[in-house]
Amino acid sequence: MAKFDPDIVLEFYANAWPTQEGVRDMRSWVRGQWIPFDADALIQFLGYPLVLEEGQECEYGPRRNRANGFDEEAIAQLLCIPGQDFAQTAAGRRVRIMRTNMTTLTQTWMMLLLSNILPSDHNSELPLPKCQLVYAILTRMSVHVAQLIADAIYLFPGMPPTRHPIDPDKSNRALGFSALITGLYQSFEVPVTPSKVIRPPITRAFKEKYCTTRQAQGGNPQAPDAPPPPPQADPAGSFDMEQYLRHLVRQQAANHRAHVQTHDCLYQFSLSLQSQGFASFPCPTLDQFRAEVAWPGDWPKAQAGEAPAEALGEANEARMDEEMTDLLDFLGGSGAT
């Protein structure tokens, strides 16, 4: 279904509240009739993607409910690019995997998961429970998807709204399962008027643009123009003025590279929102960002707006030594504290 009926979806969620306190009533009253959305109704509508015998459970469900049902080391190895891991709390507890640390396959499944199974507007990271679900899918465990969707629909009306960042009186939360709800009501012969286009499918072009790791794109975690890390000062020794100024210059250059990378992440995020049909936020392009910042270069005497110097070699080291000597002379220092 390429479109959904927004009026039907709104009416569905408005009337999906439990009829009695403490009763898990998984149905909604729309256009004069009750429509169930429990697992049995959804699995029939979806064409029986998983057939279970009486009393049988899928492999994912019981493991999810056990304290040590999943090996977090194995999850990190499968979902993360080499050398990356979960983000952890101060106590060392694994809590989430950042999108920038995921493989392309993991990012693709994350987008599918957050669009069709457990909807979420927050797609820059994946919490541990959802990491477990992606791991279960990638390792071919049986998953009762209809039950997951039914539980998510049941919980959705009671969730607090996500406030719009500009207008706090508006909710910024997207309605989940819009096409599924429209199709479900259509199957019960409820008149619907699909008028709003759903998100576009995940294509190869989408994956290459939004789900490819920086390593696969030829990127490098450290900018090629980054100077080698300075040697650590001996706590018992002295630190002369030249060492101190070199350290400050490298700190400023590292901060600038961090700002450029942060801006790039925000810009790519804004493009991702636009491609998924969400209201984006104003974010300057890379050229606009550079023009506004007007970075003068990593070292003194660089022209304003000049591109960063190439990777340091012996010639560049000699040039920097000369520039640092000129700077020390200008400051009136002798090179020692």
Side-chain angles (χ1 to χ4, degrees), residues 14-323:
N15 296 323
W17 290 89
T19 55
Q20 296 180 3
E21 186 175 354
V23 176
R24 194 174 174 84
D25 191 8
M26 305 186 76
R27 57 180 184 165
S28 181
W29 179 263
V30 177
R31 308 293 165 89
Q33 62 177 304
W34 288 105
I35 304 295
F37 59 86
D38 59 350
D40 291 338
L42 292 182
I43 201 169
Q44 180 180 356
F45 173 71
L46 295 173
Y48 298 97
L50 177 66
V51 179
L52 298 173
E53 300 296 335
E54 185 69 27
Q56 183 183 5
E57 294 185 270
C58 68
E59 296 174 81
Y60 165 73
R63 294 185 63 170
R64 176 188 60 176
N65 297 328
R66 293 202 304 265
N68 298 314
F70 287 91
D71 183 347
E72 294 177 3
E73 289 286 349
I75 293 176
Q77 290 180 8
L78 182 61
L79 271 57
C80 296
I81 56 179
Q84 300 300 326
D85 199 346
F86 280 87
Q88 302 182 15
T89 65
R93 184 171 62 88
R94 291 181 167 97
V95 289
R96 64 182 64 85
I97 295 179
M98 305 305 297
R99 182 171 179 175
T100 52
N101 294 339
M102 298 177 187
T103 65
T104 297
L105 183 60
T106 304
Q107 292 186 55
T108 304
W109 274 104
M110 180 188 75
M111 297 302 297
L112 181 67
L113 176 72
L114 299 183
S115 299
N116 298 283
I117 303 175
L118 299 175
S120 174
D121 298 331
H122 192 52
N123 60 6
S124 62
E125 61 186 41
L126 205 58
L128 176 58
K130 294 180 180 179
C131 290
Q132 294 172 345
L133 177 55
V134 173
Y135 176 82
I137 293 172
L138 294 180
T139 54
R140 299 184 179 277
M141 295 183 194
S142 59
V143 179
H144 198 342
V145 174
Q147 186 65 64
L148 294 177
I149 294 176
D151 291 340
I153 293 176
Y154 178 79
L155 295 173
F156 188 87
M159 296 173 64
T162 302
R163 294 302 176 190
H164 194 279
I166 299 176
D167 188 349
D169 292 332
K170 294 182 179 180
S171 174
N172 203 36
R173 186 184 300 280
L175 294 175
F177 309 107
S178 300
L180 183 144
I181 292 170
T182 301
L184 181 64
Y185 274 83
Q186 204 168 26
S187 70
F188 279 90
E189 299 183 353
V190 174
V192 297
T193 309
S195 59
K196 194 168 183 179
V197 179
I198 64 172
R199 296 177 184 178
I202 298 176
T203 61
R204 180 183 295 274
F206 181 91
K207 289 192 294 183
E208 290 176 351
K209 188 170 184 178
Y210 298 111
C211 302
T212 305
T213 61
R214 287 187 176 275
Q215 280 77 0
Q217 293 173 338
N220 194 318
Q222 182 177 2
D225 61 313
Q232 297 297 317
D234 182 0
S238 61
F239 209 98
D240 64 29
M241 177 63 75
E242 182 174 349
Q243 288 177 302
Y244 179 69
L245 289 176
R246 284 183 180 278
H247 183 68
L248 286 182
V249 170
R250 287 185 170 112
Q251 277 186 325
Q252 293 283 19
N255 287 337
H256 175 65
R257 292 193 301 274
H259 292 156
V260 171
Q261 188 166 2
T262 300
H263 165 264
D264 180 60
C265 291
L266 289 172
Y267 182 62
Q268 295 299 327
F269 179 57
S270 70
L271 294 179
S272 176
L273 288 178
Q274 292 179 11
S275 71
Q276 298 174 49
F278 291 105
S280 184
F281 54 88
C283 186
T285 64
L286 180 59
D287 291 338
Q288 293 171 335
F289 177 79
R290 287 175 173 171
E292 181 68 24
V293 173
W295 177 244
D298 291 353
W299 291 88
K301 291 189 177 180
Q303 297 298 318
E306 181 180 334
E310 297 181 354
L312 295 177
E314 294 182 1
N316 283 338
E317 285 285 0
R319 176 178 58 80
M320 291 193 308
D321 288 341
E322 293 177 1
E323 292 175 347

Side-chain angles (χ1 to χ4, degrees), residues 3-20:
K3 297 181 179 181
F4 68 92
D5 186 338
D7 295 331
I8 280 283
V9 176
L10 288 171
E11 188 174 349
F12 170 86
Y13 279 117
N15 296 323
W17 290 89
T19 55
Q20 296 180 3

